[in-house]
Amino acid sequence: MTDPAAGAPEAPTGAEWAAAVAAVRRLPADARVLLICHVNPDGDALGSMLGFGLGLRRLGVRQLQATFPGPPEVPEPFRWLPGLDLLVPQDAAYPDPDLVICFDAASESRLGDLVGRLGSAGASLVLDHHASNTRFGDINLVDPHAAATSVVAEGLLDRLGVPLDADIAACLYVALSTDTGSFRFEATTPAVHEMAARLLATGIRPGDISRRIFDTRPFGAVRLFGEAIGRARLEPGAAGGRGLVWTYATLDDLARHDQPPYVLEALIDSVRCTAEADVSCVVKQTPAGDWAVSLRSKGAVDVSRVAVALGGGGHRFAAGFTGRGSVDEVVDSIRAELDGALLAV
Ligand code: 5GP
Ligand code: MN
């Protein structure tokens, strides 16, 4: 196991689970609880946060908010999720909650302007599944073997005695199916399918959910993908001959097709299918003017090592970082790290 964070945690210990359960159970009736997920939230970030939030509501937590850093817009594919009424813009979030719970964030840097809430809160609890997690909470439930943060969230809900209902299940299912690539990635263990079975048993409709979150995009995004894929570059010699394929999209591309930034998140899936490359990369200009970089590997390269070296993080075969400079400079920086991140396969 090539893990960028030496001494990375294994599954949470019994003591860690007990501490997390106690942190929720000892909340007074008037406690304010703030849930935070990572910037540019994806299905696992939003789904695990809102699903857990609905569970806390069932436990009787009345003063409950959910938020994420940056503009308060939820990507269109997730605008039907149960529990969206918990969301508040970051500036409206409790300044000093009694408990803050973070979802799917590997490090404090993923919390943007909300990072100060960790210090001002009475206590902090981190739920995550990134091996690179820096354990920045008072209590950390970090399971690098979990396919999604929602696996950890379901584990805590179960220990709190909260039964699954269809609303909680829909959120957790979105999270689980997002991070397993619709149950296609290596992380799709028997335990993942067992969890999916528990969620489906509540009556949620997987066909509807998958179509909404994976198979629907505006025509402008279809055209934009066509352009971005049309300028993809294949470098067969990169990554020790395993090959690199990459492309990019700018704010100007988004504006020309009248599309919001989140549509670019799915672009990597249309690039990584390239047979001739182990490593794929999409460089996406952000409203802040820098670049959100997505990296994927089919198994020959530990892309989390590349991402960590460039200031980001993630998983072995799916990682990312924030790039600066020109697109060429960003891709140069990646190329330079690839050989050092080759896995013995
Ligand atoms: P994606 O390419 O889908 O945005 O992200 C892939 C994985 O890399 C996710 O697990 C995500 O959390 C992680 N990741 C993406 N960008 C960053 C980043 O800038 N910093 C860190 N620490 N992780 C990132
Ligand atoms: Mn995740």
Side-chain angles (χ1 to χ4, degrees):
M1 170 101 192
T2 33
D3 206 311
E10 288 303 311
T13 62
E16 287 171 325
W17 283 114
V21 168
V24 174
R25 287 223 175 277
R26 70 168 169 254
L27 288 170
D30 60 350
R32 289 151 306 141
V33 178
L34 178 63
L35 314 180
I36 306 177
C37 69
H38 65 71
V39 66
N40 301 323
D42 59 9
D44 190 26
L46 283 170
S48 59
M49 175 171 77
L50 296 178
F52 192 79
L54 290 171
L56 285 180
R57 190 180 260 169
R58 284 190 64 142
L59 276 177
V61 176
R62 290 282 159 260
Q63 301 196 72
L64 181 59
Q65 295 180 333
T67 192
F68 51 83
E73 281 103 50
V74 172
E76 169 64 29
F78 305 123
R79 282 198 197 144
W80 58 275
L81 279 176
L84 285 180
D85 58 299
L86 293 170
L87 283 176
V88 299
Q90 62 171 2
D91 293 339
Y94 303 129
D96 52 356
D98 296 286
L99 176 65
V100 67
I101 312 181
C102 299
F103 295 84
D104 205 37
S107 63
E108 290 166 275
S109 65
R110 302 282 283 158
L111 302 179
D113 293 339
L114 287 160
V115 69
R117 299 299 199 287
L118 290 170
S120 59
S124 60
L125 170 58
V126 166
L127 272 62
D128 188 33
H129 69 130
H130 293 89
S132 62
N133 187 288
T134 56
R135 303 178 72 80
F136 57 90
D138 298 328
I139 305 164
N140 300 281
L141 292 180
V142 179
D143 186 354
H145 305 294
T149 295
S150 66
V151 174
V152 182
E154 195 218 13
L156 185 53
L157 287 175
D158 182 49
R159 286 166 174 83
L160 287 164
V162 179
L164 292 174
D165 61 25
D167 283 350
I168 295 173
C171 291
L172 299 184
Y173 188 86
V174 164
L176 190 62
S177 56
T178 298
D179 268 26
T180 57
S182 288
F183 307 97
R184 286 175 301 163
F185 299 160
E186 221 60 67
T188 311
T189 57
V192 164
H193 280 295
E194 283 158 13
M195 175 170 164
R198 288 192 293 279
L199 301 175
L200 292 175
T202 65
I204 57 170
R205 298 175 58 88
D208 288 349
I209 292 176
S210 300
R211 184 171 36 72
R212 283 173 172 159
I213 63 172
F214 298 118
D215 297 335
T216 304
R217 70 181 60 117
F219 187 56
V222 173
R223 301 277 305 238
L224 169 52
F225 275 36
E227 268 181 35
I229 293 165
R231 62 185 174 228
R233 292 272 181 279
L234 176 65
E235 302 182 15
R242 298 309 192 114
L244 166 71
V245 59
W246 61 272
T247 191
Y248 66 94
T250 64
L251 292 177
D252 182 58
D253 296 326
L254 288 169
R256 247 181 309 108
H257 293 283
D258 194 22
Q259 294 302 307
Y262 81 81
V263 301
L264 296 176
E265 259 142 61
L267 181 56
I268 188 73
D269 293 318
S270 303
V271 176
R272 70 184 171 84
C273 56
T274 302
E276 295 86 344
D278 180 88
V279 180
S280 52
C281 168
V282 173
V283 182
K284 299 164 281 192
Q285 197 171 26
T286 70
D290 42 28
W291 305 92
V293 182
S294 287
L295 293 167
R296 300 289 185 273
S297 163
K298 293 177 189 157
V301 172
D302 180 350
V303 287
S304 81
R305 198 188 278 187
V306 176
V308 167
L310 298 171
H315 309 283
R316 215 146 47 122
F317 302 138
F321 68 97
T322 300
R324 296 193 175 77
S326 67
V327 173
D328 284 333
E329 284 165 343
V330 172
V331 178
D332 281 345
S333 70
I334 294 166
R335 249 186 241 108
E337 297 295 336
L338 283 176
D339 287 346
L342 278 170
L343 291 165
V345 283

